[in-house]
Amino acid sequence: MRNYVIINKSEVANVDFSKVKETSVDTLRYSIDGTKTFVKFEGNAPTFLSGKQQYTHSQILEILAGEEWTSGEPI
């Protein structure tokens, strides 16, 4: 099962990209204000995400549809 965790931009340096589905800093999606991002992974959370809130696919889609992540401006 795929899980998602939202992290602060300041925590990106701690991400082990071999343990998550994103491949590098360049593939992360940030919140509108640039302060948060998220990573996805299969199975148990990698150690660097220990204790953080995990979300399911449907939960993260709902969060990402919110004002904090989507500007509402046409692409």
Side-chain angles (χ1 to χ4, degrees):
M1 176 151 127
R2 189 167 284 183
N3 294 299
Y4 302 78
V5 171
I6 296 172
I7 59 173
N8 292 320
K9 182 179 181 179
S10 61
E11 297 173 276
V12 169
N14 300 329
V15 174
D16 179 349
F17 286 98
S18 70
K19 308 275 187 203
V20 297
K21 296 297 181 182
E22 292 71 25
T23 57
S24 71
V25 170
D26 298 326
T27 61
L28 297 173
R29 175 181 168 185
Y30 286 88
S31 57
I32 297 297
D33 67 5
T35 62
K36 296 177 186 172
T37 187
F38 66 95
V39 292
K40 54 187 169 284
F41 56 91
E42 300 280 346
N44 294 328
T47 307
F48 63 91
L49 295 175
S50 239
K52 298 202 175 290
Q53 173 70 48
Q54 295 183 34
Y55 301 96
T56 64
H57 186 251
S58 60
Q59 289 171 321
I60 200 74
L61 287 179
E62 188 173 326
I63 291 166
L64 297 179
E67 290 180 3
E68 190 173 11
W69 294 89
T70 304
S71 69
E73 296 291 319
I75 297 174

